[in-house]
Amino acid sequence: MQIVSLSMATAKRKKASKKDFILRRAAAMFSEKGYSATSMRDLADAVGIEAASLYNHIQSKAEILQEIIFRMTNDCNVHIGELEKGKLSNIKKVESLIRFHVQMMMYQCDDYTVMINEWMHLPEPYLTNFNIQRRQYVVKMEKIITDGFQQGEMKNIAPYVAVLTLLSSVRGLEFWHRSSQKISPQKIEDDMVNFLIKGLKKN
Amino acid sequence: MQIVSLSMATAKRKKASKKDFILRRAAAMFSEKGYSATSMRDLADAVGIEAASLYNHIQSKAEILQEIIFRMTNDCNVHIGELEKGKLSNIKKVESLIRFHVQMMMYQCDDYTVMINEWMHLPEPYLTNFNIQRRQYVVKMEKIITDGFQQGEMKNIAPYVAVLTLLSSVRGLEFWHRSSQKISPQKIEDDMVNFLIKGLKKN
DNA sequence: CCTACCGATCGGTAGG
DNA sequence: CCTACCGATCGGTAGG
């Protein structure tokens, strides 16, 4: 009984790690060529198996996209949830959000890029789910900026514009990631925070 | 002779305007679903003809993408060329660049979005050509920011980070464009300029 | 501008 | 995990 459940756990772990490997390769290819331009045969080649064998680990091409994207949205929701519970000043909350997104773009570049560039290929009902989550996330960010203005920490900039700008700025790092990277991740992160926070902070 | 050349000119103009119509529809669809996920049959439906008939106006699917993208890169090059010849302060040059990109995103949204999101589907040698042009454009922007620092107008922010941030910020407006647009184009443009220029300006 | 059609490739399944 | 294969759809051409 013990041995059975142990070997089942092992089998499950092995299978999960092979699936993880497929998801990682898929994220890299979706990020580089796009979801639609990546075929299951391309992906199978990158994984080192036949296309048909992929279906022992995943159910469909769309499922791969879903898993990549909703793993990311989950991380984002966890982070902003902790911010909401925490006691940072609003300006520090914005700084934390910028650093969080910059770090995702630098250390989970493929997954993050797939989320921002390929979400429209999610099949329903996942597409609607994603759009709702993104909308909620934006509203939460807007609230932080509105609070920051009302509490005298920030300038009176339209929260909607600020949030769109903050979120999209990070996308530029895609090119940094593909380039020779003469600037260190830490310096990029600090420069970006300094640059963006200056547009918000009072004084 | 006169009549012949006149009717040829008319025929040419008519053909050009039908091709323009196809390009506009294509830009809208490439922008919404991506280049790879848009089939020539989808496009033909949107234009109102059979798929085969498209080929009387264009040579290939890739040619459509090329025309959309290189029309935009040409506009960008013309604008920054005029800036280089002009006598604006460096900070005013940056402001002009921001306004130019915001306006492209607001008034030529489909073409601009296709350029930033679908360039990787250009076939060679166009892909290399595009990458070279983008690199040159970034270098020109970096020079303006470096000059601005040396002449005491701007803070000492890494030009590379500033340029990546400025260029990618505009991409957020994609969501504004798709939404109910409660904020006027002029206010969006001004807010964005204020927000981004604050991160650069000294004082 | 259409009908008819091409070979290639797509996501995915059956069966072992 | 593989071989063999499915119907659907792809970009594009021939011929009128």
Side-chain angles (χ1 to χ4, degrees):
Chain A
M1 193 67 170
Q2 256 184 343
I3 293 172
V4 170
S5 61
L6 182 67
S7 61
M8 274 174 67
T10 306
K12 213 171 181 181
R13 182 151 44 80
K14 269 190 180 168
K15 199 168 180 183
S17 95
K18 180 81 180 203
K19 182 171 177 177
D20 272 357
F21 181 66
I22 292 171
L23 291 180
R24 276 214 309 281
R25 293 289 176 145
M29 299 181 84
F30 292 172
S31 159
E32 193 190 322
K33 307 201 297 174
Y35 174 76
S36 297
T38 304
S39 74
M40 295 303 271
R41 284 153 180 89
D42 292 338
L43 176 56
D45 281 351
V47 172
I49 58 178
E50 291 299 317
S53 305
L54 288 172
Y55 292 88
N56 289 310
H57 304 282
I58 50 102
Q59 298 210 19
S60 67
K61 190 185 179 186
E63 191 210 36
I64 299 176
L65 186 65
Q66 291 158 30
E67 296 224 18
I68 293 170
I69 289 181
F70 287 101
R71 249 177 0 190
M72 287 304 298
T73 61
N74 193 55
D75 288 353
C76 291
N77 289 332
V78 167
H79 176 262
I80 206 165
E82 285 171 1
L83 271 192
E84 286 179 322
K85 276 181 278 176
K87 293 186 175 71
L88 294 173
S89 69
N90 292 295
I91 204 89
K92 283 285 175 193
K93 284 182 183 171
V94 173
E95 180 176 333
S96 175
L97 279 164
I98 298 171
R99 289 191 188 277
F100 178 69
H101 281 269
V102 170
Q103 283 167 15
M104 279 197 299
M105 189 50 128
M106 292 199 296
Y107 302 114
Q108 303 182 73
C109 185
D110 291 335
D111 287 351
Y112 191 72
T113 304
V114 168
M115 177 177 71
I116 9 188
N117 292 336
E118 309 297 329
W119 57 267
M120 70 281 276
H121 298 112
L122 285 169
E124 293 290 4
Y126 301 96
L127 179 60
T128 298
N129 183 328
F130 176 80
N131 280 322
I132 291 172
Q133 286 194 49
R134 189 190 52 199
R135 183 80 206 112
Q136 288 173 341
Y137 193 78
V138 167
V139 167
K140 286 177 183 179
M141 283 188 67
E142 286 177 355
K143 186 177 181 323
I144 294 174
I145 288 169
T146 308
D147 288 351
F149 168 65
Q150 286 174 352
Q151 295 166 22
E153 295 175 57
M154 298 184 202
K155 294 189 196 105
N156 186 17
I157 184 166
Y160 184 67
V161 175
V163 169
L164 287 187
T165 305
L166 292 176
L167 286 179
S168 55
S169 297
V170 181
R171 300 175 72 170
L173 296 180
E174 204 180 325
F175 293 103
W176 171 81
H177 207 275
R178 293 184 199 286
S179 74
S180 47
Q181 303 185 13
K182 288 169 225 161
I183 312 181
S184 78
Q186 188 59 53
K187 176 155 171 49
I188 287 266
E189 188 184 320
D190 291 341
D191 278 355
M192 195 145 245
V193 168
N194 280 333
F195 187 17
L196 292 172
I197 225 85
K198 285 276 162 46
L200 280 175
K201 225 184 205 163
K202 222 163 176 176
N203 315 327
Chain B
M1 193 67 169
Q2 256 184 343
I3 292 171
V4 170
S5 61
L6 183 68
S7 62
M8 273 176 67
T10 307
K12 213 172 180 181
R13 184 151 42 81
K14 269 189 181 169
K15 199 169 179 183
S17 94
K18 180 81 180 204
K19 182 171 177 177
D20 271 358
F21 181 67
I22 292 172
L23 291 180
R24 276 213 309 281
R25 294 287 176 147
M29 300 181 83
F30 292 173
S31 159
E32 193 191 322
K33 308 199 299 172
Y35 175 76
S36 297
T38 304
S39 74
M40 295 304 271
R41 283 153 182 89
D42 291 338
L43 176 57
D45 281 349
V47 172
I49 58 179
E50 292 298 317
S53 304
L54 288 172
Y55 292 88
N56 290 310
H57 304 283
I58 49 103
Q59 299 209 18
S60 67
K61 190 185 179 186
E63 191 211 34
I64 299 176
L65 186 66
Q66 291 157 33
E67 296 224 18
I68 294 169
I69 289 181
F70 287 102
R71 250 178 359 193
M72 287 304 298
T73 60
N74 194 55
D75 288 353
C76 291
N77 289 333
V78 167
H79 176 263
I80 206 165
E82 284 169 1
L83 271 192
E84 287 179 323
K85 278 181 276 178
K87 294 185 176 68
L88 294 174
S89 70
N90 292 296
I91 205 90
K92 284 284 176 194
K93 284 182 183 171
V94 172
E95 181 178 331
S96 175
L97 279 164
I98 297 171
R99 290 193 188 276
F100 178 68
H101 280 270
V102 170
Q103 284 167 14
M104 280 197 299
M105 188 50 129
M106 291 199 297
Y107 302 114
Q108 303 183 71
C109 185
D110 292 335
D111 287 352
Y112 191 72
T113 304
V114 168
M115 178 177 70
I116 13 188
N117 291 336
E118 309 296 328
W119 57 268
M120 70 280 278
H121 299 112
L122 286 169
E124 294 291 2
Y126 300 97
L127 179 60
T128 298
N129 183 328
F130 175 81
N131 280 322
I132 290 171
Q133 285 194 51
R134 189 190 53 198
R135 184 78 207 114
Q136 288 173 342
Y137 192 79
V138 167
V139 167
K140 286 176 182 177
M141 283 189 67
E142 285 177 356
K143 186 179 180 322
I144 293 174
I145 287 167
T146 307
D147 288 351
F149 168 65
Q150 286 175 353
Q151 294 165 23
E153 295 176 56
M154 298 185 202
K155 295 190 194 102
N156 186 17
I157 185 166
Y160 185 67
V161 174
V163 170
L164 286 187
T165 304
L166 293 176
L167 286 179
S168 56
S169 297
V170 180
R171 300 175 73 171
L173 296 179
E174 205 180 323
F175 293 103
W176 171 81
H177 207 276
R178 292 184 200 285
S179 74
S180 47
Q181 303 185 12
K182 288 168 228 163
I183 313 181
S184 78
Q186 188 60 53
K187 175 151 171 53
I188 288 266
E189 188 183 322
D190 291 340
D191 277 355
M192 196 146 244
V193 168
N194 281 333
F195 187 17
L196 292 172
I197 226 83
K198 284 277 163 44
L200 280 175
K201 225 185 206 165
K202 222 163 177 174
N203 318 328

